[in-house]
Amino acid sequence: MYDFDTPAPRAGTGAIKWDIRSSAFGNASALPFWVADSDYMSPPEVTEALRDAAARCIFGYTVPTEGYREAVAGWIRARHGWEIDTNWILPSIGIVSELSNIVRCFTAPGDKVLIQTPVYDPFGNVVKTSGRTLVENRLRCGENLRYSMDFEDLERDLASGVRLMILCSPHNPVGRVWTEDEVRRVAGMCRDHGALLVSDEIHWDLIAPGFTHFTAGNAGTPDNVIVLTAPSKTFNIAGLKCSNDIIPNADLRRKLSAWKETRHMEGPNNLGWIACEAAYRHGAAWCDEQNAYIARNARLVRDTFAEKLPEAGISPLEGTYLMWLDISRTGLDSRRVCEELNRAGAILNDGYRYGDDRFARLNIACPRAQLEEGLRVITGVLRGILG
Ligand SMILES: Cc1ncc(COP(=O)(O)O)c(C=O)c1O
């Protein structure tokens, strides 16, 4: 049994989530439920590998070893049922910077790039800051706040000349784990319309019990897909800046490699490789226990809301550790509600930044005691507004 109850002492370590509370929110003592990383320790197997590496005192230039590539491919085979060639792996230093590289490499200024909103805000920023045209395919919020894709709209948008689509799978912030049918449909539509499908699957290991992630890599369109993955969310090692593009098509791989090379972009640092390999070789049990822990945290949020705030809804959490709270009954926009929450001692992300001002995002990857304390603040503030 691993320990998720002991808080990692992150304040004062430079942690964005903890150490910019004052400058970003004006409340240095508020509990942070915003940035998507975790507030318990990383797996001991990862920490031990890093300690061993530090003890060897060798920090020169490195490339990904065959052992690294095999560990990545082994994880993908065992956890996601996708057989990949180790040559398909193109390591990168983070998904957002890689999205920016991919958009710039495979599209031209003015080209249409599609995202499905509400969604993780850097997607839209990457498209806009690179001078491409943003196309928004709105997700549909259905009964019980479960989201689905609007395939008719998607078809129309893709037919209008979209060159590249960024899929968020599982989806941050609406919490959907897209079904095999949904992923296959998206992949097929992208292929039929000549759009490159870039599937951001950074959350693919964070899956609630009873759900199964289906990777776009298995959707039958290997020449037309790039899957972006990382151990960063799963094992809480985002600061080590190590992610992996999986690119089955050799031409796409060569083009992106050459594009990055001519811009002198290098790969992850050697501690990033070491942590990633250790996590993928030895982290399966930790990952399973974490998913069970997150599911219990999600249950606590649901039960607390049902008891104290039945007017506020929550989207079902099928994947990720980010809960999407419907605060529309307050009659206030999410920025205003989040300001009140910050002042009272709980920092959440307002839904405005993701494209829906009626929601707020709550990160529950933390020790239960921290979540309980946060819920006291959140329910108190919302009860006060709702009357
Ligand atoms: C969907 C998604 N993609 C990418 C990232 C960030 O990835 P990275 O730190 O590798 O840039 C996040 C972080 O929350 C995310 O939710």
Side-chain angles (χ1 to χ4, degrees):
M1 285 283 286
Y2 291 101
D3 174 15
F4 299 96
D5 283 326
T6 303
R10 302 189 66 197
T13 64
I16 294 176
K17 191 187 202 173
W18 289 80
D19 287 351
I20 69 164
R21 286 175 292 173
S22 174
S23 57
F25 301 101
N27 186 350
S29 61
L31 283 173
F33 299 96
W34 61 305
V35 174
D37 58 19
S38 328
D39 287 326
Y40 33 76
M41 312 275 189
S42 295
E45 292 82 355
V46 172
T47 319
E48 274 158 32
L50 290 170
R51 268 203 205 99
D52 286 351
R56 285 197 297 276
C57 302
I58 302 169
F59 304 109
Y61 293 117
T62 44
V63 289
T65 61
E66 220 17 70
Y68 172 86
R69 289 181 178 280
E70 277 161 14
V72 174
W75 181 265
I76 293 174
R77 183 187 313 116
R79 306 290 296 198
H80 300 288
W82 186 21
E83 267 313 324
I84 67 161
D85 188 305
T86 53
N87 290 326
W88 298 356
I89 302 167
L90 191 66
S92 49
I93 59 163
I95 303 262
V96 172
S97 58
E98 195 65 351
L99 273 173
S100 170
N101 293 333
I102 287 170
V103 165
R104 287 164 200 256
C105 173
F106 293 109
T107 67
D111 277 354
K112 290 183 177 175
V113 176
L114 182 142
I115 63 174
Q116 294 179 303
T117 52
V119 75
Y120 180 55
D121 47 315
F123 283 14
N125 296 339
V126 158
V127 176
K128 286 188 269 186
T129 54
S130 55
R132 275 58 175 171
T133 306
L134 184 66
V135 177
E136 278 185 61
N137 170 231
R138 294 291 295 179
L139 295 172
R140 282 194 179 134
C141 183
E143 244 182 87
N144 301 328
L145 301 173
R146 185 172 189 263
Y147 282 76
S148 60
M149 293 191 198
D150 184 336
F151 282 104
E152 274 169 36
D153 243 31
L154 184 59
E155 177 77 37
R156 243 191 319 274
D157 287 338
L158 289 171
S160 78
V162 163
R163 296 291 312 278
L164 186 151
M165 168 173 176
I166 307 174
L167 175 68
C168 194
S169 177
H171 193 281
N172 167 14
V174 309
R176 275 297 316 277
V177 170
W178 304 116
T179 61
E180 175 171 348
D181 182 52
E182 287 167 319
V183 175
R184 282 191 188 278
R185 258 179 104 177
V186 169
M189 287 164 76
C190 283
R191 179 200 50 218
D192 294 348
H193 291 288
L196 176 63
L197 176 60
V198 180
S199 187
D200 176 348
E201 304 191 19
I202 194 171
H203 295 281
W204 68 350
D205 299 311
L206 295 157
I207 305 297
F211 292 88
T212 305
H213 174 75
F214 183 79
T215 174
N218 268 336
T221 60
D223 279 343
N224 201 47
V225 70
I226 294 179
V227 174
L228 304 179
T229 77
S232 49
K233 301 284 168 202
T234 315
F235 300 102
N236 204 23
I237 51 175
L240 289 169
K241 309 302 284 180
C242 180
S243 49
N244 294 291
D245 311 358
I246 315 296
I247 312 181
N249 179 297
D251 289 337
L252 296 180
R253 215 162 51 234
R254 269 195 294 270
K255 187 167 178 189
L256 183 58
S257 294
W259 193 91
K260 288 167 73 174
E261 223 170 282
T262 55
R263 284 155 185 84
H264 310 284
M265 290 176 177
E266 298 185 353
N269 67 77
N270 59 358
L271 294 181
W273 309 122
I274 287 164
C276 176
E277 181 171 344
Y280 282 161
R281 283 195 190 283
H282 309 296
W286 190 91
C287 176
D288 291 339
E289 284 189 29
Q290 178 184 222
N291 277 334
Y293 194 86
I294 290 167
R296 287 196 295 277
N297 274 0
R299 165 53 55 107
L300 173 67
V301 175
R302 255 176 213 296
D303 290 349
T304 308
F305 269 57
E307 185 196 331
K308 305 218 159 110
L309 287 171
E311 309 95 317
I314 308 174
S315 289
L317 190 70
E318 300 178 355
T320 83
Y321 46 63
L322 306 162
M323 295 189 89
W324 191 230
L325 313 178
D326 176 0
I327 49 167
S328 57
R329 295 272 176 85
T330 59
L332 304 174
D333 63 55
S334 66
R335 289 160 290 172
R336 182 67 205 290
V337 172
C338 285
E339 267 170 34
E340 304 257 336
L341 289 168
N342 299 341
R343 252 197 301 277
I347 303 172
L348 279 68
N349 288 111
D350 61 66
Y352 175 75
R353 65 164 51 218
Y354 309 106
D356 197 330
D357 218 0
R358 298 167 303 168
F359 285 78
R361 195 190 78 169
L362 173 71
N363 176 349
I364 59 166
C366 63
R368 188 134 323 121
Q370 182 178 320
L371 185 60
E372 281 166 356
E373 185 53 34
L375 283 171
R376 267 191 285 281
V377 174
I378 294 165
T379 53
V381 168
L382 293 181
R383 192 69 275 151
I385 299 172
L386 287 160

